Amino acid sequence: MPSATRISRAIAAAAVVLTAAACATPPEPDFGEALAKVPAAATVHGVDLPLDRTLLTPVEELEVIKARNTLMERCLAAHGLTFTFPAVDPVRDAAKPRRYGLVDAREAAEFGYRDPAVFTRRSPAPTQRPPSDVVAMITGRGGPSGGCAGEADRTLAPDAKPGQEPVSFGLSGRSLEVARTTPPVTAAAAKWSRCMAAAGFAYADPDAAITDPAFRAGRASAHEIAVATQDVRCKERAEWVGTWVGVERAVQDVLIRQHADDLTREREHKERQLAAARTING
């Protein structure tokens, strides 16, 4: 396992301090000690990260959107206007996250690198474009302050905007990018690349495969499915997900300690807006 000093140097160039507005810039985090504790062969599979406690899941995001649409429809009705937003089913419509690329063998065998939702989700009914008076009421050119959208936002989250928490979301993106450049993750990528090459597929890293221009449109070809299937197999052999999750947990632990007050406020805000959304959605 590389030394803490080597790891710290490797990620220093990628680390960019993220702070909440109006806060003084804290000292640059030192990830070296935390990363030195990451097992050489992490066995964690799946996404289970410390910042998850303050971030909305894809299903929860859609719960908030559904509630916001309902509130806007009620506001419009109170002003004598009728409009129905497209139906939102959080369980059905939530996109499956691919934070670490394609890792599902069944998806790879059936869809290649394509999003299964594109081919399996029910076709939505055609949506009617809202008339100008509805748009004006929603956006604030009539009715309550900020329009029906503003009223809905204040109901869901009186103290801030509904949706993802900004500090948590920014730190989550940062931890992903920092982890990407660490020796354990780059070593796993190299092991994956060698595994792919042994099967006849030349890609430098998993990103190069999933972004291959040949795999962009339409249904997956037999070649794409072969590459995607081998991709998942090689990720398992390289312990790709487990290694990255182990590293990213260490990075997030450092960031959470540095932004403890902001994240406590955001966790409380998330819980309040979810409670409000679930009451509205019934």
Side-chain angles (χ1 to χ4, degrees), residues 81 129-139 141-142:
L81 298 171
R129 186 171 183 174
S132 58
D133 55 349
V134 168
V135 173
M137 187 64 66
I138 290 173
T139 57
R141 295 196 294 273

Side-chain angles (χ1 to χ4, degrees), residues 97-132:
R98 286 185 175 180
R99 189 174 181 88
Y100 307 106
L102 179 64
V103 296
D104 189 306
R106 290 185 180 181
E107 285 185 10
E110 186 173 356
F111 301 103
Y113 289 107
R114 312 314 165 89
D115 181 358
V118 173
F119 300 105
T120 60
R121 187 178 298 164
R122 292 183 298 179
S123 298
T127 56
Q128 178 185 1
R129 186 171 183 174
S132 58

Side-chain angles (χ1 to χ4, degrees), residues 24-272:
T25 302
E28 178 66 23
D30 181 2
F31 300 110
E33 182 179 353
L35 288 172
K37 298 176 183 177
V38 176
T43 57
V44 180
H45 291 280
V47 179
D48 177 16
L49 299 172
L51 280 169
D52 290 349
R53 289 172 292 175
T54 50
L55 288 166
L56 295 170
T57 68
V59 169
E60 289 169 345
E61 283 190 90
L62 287 180
E63 288 185 84
V64 172
I65 291 172
K66 180 179 180 181
R68 188 172 186 266
N69 289 348
T70 297
L71 289 170
M72 288 191 288
E73 289 173 359
R74 292 175 183 173
C75 173
L76 289 167
H79 290 85
L81 298 171
T82 301
F83 182 76
T84 302
F85 288 90
V88 175
D89 182 336
V91 174
R92 185 193 72 222
D93 296 337
K96 185 176 181 179
R98 286 185 175 180
R99 189 174 181 88
Y100 307 106
L102 179 64
V103 296
D104 189 306
R106 290 185 180 181
E107 285 185 10
E110 186 173 356
F111 301 103
Y113 289 107
R114 312 314 165 89
D115 181 358
V118 173
F119 300 105
T120 60
R121 187 178 298 164
R122 292 183 298 179
S123 298
T127 56
Q128 178 185 1
R129 186 171 183 174
S132 58
D133 55 349
V134 168
V135 173
M137 187 64 66
I138 290 173
T139 57
R141 295 196 294 273
S145 175
C148 287
E151 183 175 279
D153 289 348
R154 290 189 294 274
T155 301
L156 280 169
D159 55 341
K161 287 282 187 182
Q164 288 290 13
E165 309 302 333
V167 175
S168 303
F169 191 74
L171 292 177
S172 177
R174 181 184 174 193
S175 71
L176 186 73
E177 292 308 311
V178 169
R180 185 190 302 276
T181 66
T182 60
V185 174
T186 57
K191 186 175 180 180
W192 174 92
S193 182
R194 292 191 297 271
C195 174
M196 292 292 284
F201 305 122
Y203 292 100
D205 54 46
D207 282 347
I210 200 168
T211 59
D212 189 324
F215 306 152
R216 284 184 179 171
R219 288 191 174 272
S221 65
H223 172 66
E224 178 179 341
I225 288 174
V227 174
T229 301
Q230 185 65 26
D231 178 344
V232 174
R233 189 177 296 122
C234 288
K235 283 193 175 94
E236 291 173 354
R237 293 176 182 172
E239 296 182 299
W240 170 256
V241 175
T243 299
W244 198 322
V245 171
V247 170
E248 198 168 1
R249 280 176 171 170
V251 173
Q252 288 195 4
D253 283 341
V254 174
L255 294 174
I256 285 171
R257 288 195 296 271
Q258 190 182 40
H259 297 269
D261 291 343
D262 290 326
L263 296 177
T264 295
R265 285 192 294 271
E266 291 198 340
R267 183 167 59 253
E268 293 170 352
H269 179 259
K270 169 195 166 181
E271 291 168 355
R272 285 194 297 270

